[in-house]
Amino acid sequence: MAAQSRIRAGEIAVAMPPATDAGLVFIGRIHTPWTSRTDAPRQGRPDGPVCRIEVFEPWVAALDGLECYPRVEVLYWLHMSRRDLVRQSPRDDGATRGTFALRSPVRPNPIGTAIIELVRIDGAMLLVRGLDCLDGTPLLDLKPDRGGFTPLAPPRTGDSQSGTHG
Amino acid sequence: MAAQSRIRAGEIAVAMPPATDAGLVFIGRIHTPWTSRTDAPRQGRPDGPVCRIEVFEPWVAALDGLECYPRVEVLYWLHMSRRDLVRQSPRDDGATRGTFALRSPVRPNPIGTAIIELVRIDGAMLLVRGLDCLDGTPLLDLKPDRGGFTPLAPPRTGDSQSGTHG
């Protein structure tokens, strides 16, 4: 179990506070060729293999319009990661850096982000390139990449559900 | 309370499943000039005002090394957002689009992402430009922007805590 994975020389774990400030719902599952971190690429590439992102009900209706965006931001839950390290040693050589200075999956809230190339949407299934996560990774969110995104709405009227972020 | 904000013409809400698949810990708080969505910019700008990101203990030690990166990815919890809409009407004109085709804060897992310009780190406080979120927004994660990031570690040895994502 990854949550008990060993601590390398120089790494520092902290007493992890209870992770109860907010709750997540897994909205789908990511299917990739990689079943262990040994196989997975270090970073996703736009010319990597086509992977599949499956969206669960009741969220499939929320995909409408996403097919217009060639690049999509994907958020997912790094479900195999321990969460309590504040210093990590990527090379396992005793040299450590702070967790927030790394894109390691080990972090207090193990949320991965990727910008993927959207190949096609078939019903509840997205075909994409550019992922590097493990097969079975839980999906958290999909949104148009901010680079190619122009906000549609006029100036806000004060309703808190207006607007965009980032 | 934003969670009860009204549904606009054409918008579709679903029965929200319990959000108990994973739990988050708020690791800090974001301080901005904006106290309502009426005031906040629609998108953060690199020439926007300097905002402050406060990191809570025990996570301050995890900042070490982040000062080397001029651009940082910030993840935060959009705590004022309802979560149950699958179709939304950004213009409130009856025309709707799927939630995943929008960067609206209303989404099943209301996690915001932004790429910010790091001005300076003072202890537990980051000074940054490029945010658009409300004052008091809970912080979830900080990581080097993938654009300026070169993985440090050699090929993996099979330990699941190795590697990077995205």
Side-chain angles (χ1 to χ4, degrees):
Chain A
M1 175 64 192
Q4 284 93 43
S5 62
R6 72 186 174 87
I7 294 186
R8 297 167 174 173
E11 292 187 334
I12 298 178
V14 294
M16 177 80 194
T20 53
D21 291 324
L24 297 174
V25 56
F26 295 162
I27 62 165
R29 193 161 300 281
I30 300 177
H31 304 275
T32 74
W34 308 296
T35 55
S36 79
R37 298 243 29 122
T38 321
D39 305 329
R42 293 199 66 78
Q43 287 190 287
R45 299 164 53 104
D47 61 351
V50 172
C51 299
R52 288 174 303 131
I53 301 178
E54 175 189 6
V55 174
F56 299 153
E57 290 294 356
W59 310 112
V60 178
L63 290 172
D64 186 54
L66 186 61
E67 68 281 358
C68 300
Y69 295 95
R71 287 158 58 90
V72 172
E73 187 174 8
V74 182
L75 274 63
Y76 45 90
W77 187 249
L78 298 157
H79 60 307
M80 300 292 283
S81 299
R82 64 184 297 159
R83 304 175 63 168
D84 59 346
L85 297 191
V86 291
R87 296 195 68 89
Q88 301 177 44
S89 181
R91 294 184 192 271
D92 197 4
D93 60 359
T96 63
R97 302 211 303 173
T99 288
F100 300 141
L102 299 167
R103 289 187 68 91
S104 155
V106 174
R107 37 211 327 117
N109 293 303
I111 298 168
T113 70
I115 307 293
I116 57 84
E117 309 269 339
L118 182 60
V119 176
R120 188 168 78 244
I121 301 181
D122 282 346
M125 195 72 77
L126 283 69
L127 303 183
V128 308
R129 292 183 193 272
L131 287 172
D132 61 9
C133 61
L134 294 181
D135 189 46
T137 296
L139 179 67
L140 296 178
D141 201 6
L142 298 165
K143 37 196 160 197
D145 179 25
R146 69 178 72 74
F149 179 73
T150 304
L152 286 181
R156 287 192 195 85
T157 58
D159 184 313
S160 65
Q161 77 188 65
S162 299
T164 64
H165 70 81
Chain B
M1 174 64 192
Q4 283 93 42
S5 61
R6 72 186 174 88
I7 294 187
R8 297 167 174 173
E11 293 188 332
I12 298 178
V14 294
M16 177 80 194
T20 52
D21 291 325
L24 297 174
V25 57
F26 295 162
I27 63 166
R29 192 163 302 279
I30 301 178
H31 304 274
T32 74
W34 308 296
T35 55
S36 79
R37 299 251 16 132
T38 321
D39 305 328
R42 293 199 67 76
Q43 286 190 288
R45 298 165 52 104
D47 60 351
V50 172
C51 300
R52 289 174 302 131
I53 301 177
E54 175 190 6
V55 174
F56 299 153
E57 291 294 355
W59 311 111
V60 178
L63 290 172
D64 186 54
L66 186 61
E67 69 280 358
C68 299
Y69 295 95
R71 285 160 58 90
V72 172
E73 187 174 9
V74 182
L75 275 62
Y76 46 90
W77 186 248
L78 298 157
H79 61 305
M80 300 292 284
S81 299
R82 63 184 298 156
R83 305 174 62 167
D84 59 346
L85 296 190
V86 291
R87 295 194 69 88
Q88 301 177 45
S89 180
R91 294 184 192 270
D92 197 5
D93 60 358
T96 62
R97 302 210 302 172
T99 288
F100 300 141
L102 298 167
R103 291 186 67 90
S104 156
V106 174
R107 38 211 327 117
N109 293 303
I111 298 168
T113 69
I115 307 293
I116 57 87
E117 309 270 339
L118 182 60
V119 177
R120 188 167 77 245
I121 302 181
D122 281 344
M125 195 72 78
L126 282 69
L127 303 183
V128 308
R129 291 184 194 272
L131 287 172
D132 62 8
C133 61
L134 294 181
D135 189 47
T137 296
L139 179 68
L140 296 178
D141 201 7
L142 297 165
K143 37 195 161 198
D145 179 25
R146 69 178 72 73
F149 179 74
T150 304
L152 285 181
R156 286 189 196 87
T157 56
D159 184 316
S160 64
Q161 78 188 65
S162 300
T164 63
H165 70 81

